[in-house]
């Protein structure tokens, strides 16, 4: 039973930082890619960053240079370090996982992922 639980969301001012965590369980991490997505009420769910089972990452252009994805397999945790936050980063952030089918760069399409957490809210005020 795959389980994903996000934490670390909150409210910050423009230019601030937050680190989101996703604790995962119930699957063999060696076979799964992980990712962070976000969604605000008026937008489609957007892939933010992904990390493959073997380690390669894929970062969306909208956050490149500001967000970093990482994971610690020893404690079953994935992170999203978010720096230089902007009001447009305001959204519900979700972590997701799927059993990898390809090698190389992990996907940022929501349709590739079939396991989701409940989300954690990030609000950036100007």
């Amino acid at each position: 039973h795959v389980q994903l639980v996000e934490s670390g969301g909150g409210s910050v001012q423009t230019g601030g930082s937050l680190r989101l965590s996703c604790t995962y369980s119930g699957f063999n991490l060696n076979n799964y890619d992980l990712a962070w997505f976000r969604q605000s009420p008026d937008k489609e769910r957007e892939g933010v960053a992904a990390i493959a089972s073997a380690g390669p990452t894929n970062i969306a252009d909208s956050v490149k240079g500001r967000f970093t994805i990482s994971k610690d397999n020893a404690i079953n945790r994935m992170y999203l370090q978010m720096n230089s936050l902007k009001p447009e980063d305001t959204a519900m952030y979700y972590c997701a996982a799927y059993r990898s089918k390809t090698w190389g760069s992990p996907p940022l399409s929501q349709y590739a992922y079939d396991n989701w957490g409940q989300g954690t809210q990030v609000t950036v005020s100007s």
Side-chain angles (χ1 to χ4, degrees), residues 57-124:
T57 61
N58 188 4
I59 310 295
D61 288 343
S62 58
V63 303
K64 199 165 287 184
R66 301 188 297 122
F67 290 13
T68 304
I69 189 170
S70 62
K71 63 179 178 176
D72 186 341
N73 290 348
I75 58 172
N76 285 9
R77 200 163 290 174
M78 174 177 64
Y79 303 100
L80 184 69
Q81 179 66 45
M82 305 186 295
N83 298 327
S84 303
L85 283 161
K86 306 174 182 180
E88 51 263 44
D89 295 318
T90 295
M92 184 72 78
Y93 283 71
Y94 300 89
C95 65
Y98 94 110
R99 188 178 177 90
S100 308
K101 294 181 176 63
T102 61
W103 292 99
S105 182
L108 286 176
S109 167
Q110 60 172 316
Y111 301 107
Y113 293 83
D114 52 5
N115 298 284
W116 295 86
Q118 294 299 306
T120 186
Q121 178 68 37
V122 171
T123 302
V124 185

Side-chain angles (χ1 to χ4, degrees), residues 12-26:
V12 296
Q13 292 190 321
T14 298
S17 297
L18 280 174
R19 189 176 79 158
L20 305 184
S21 296
C22 174
T23 302
Y24 42 84
S25 62

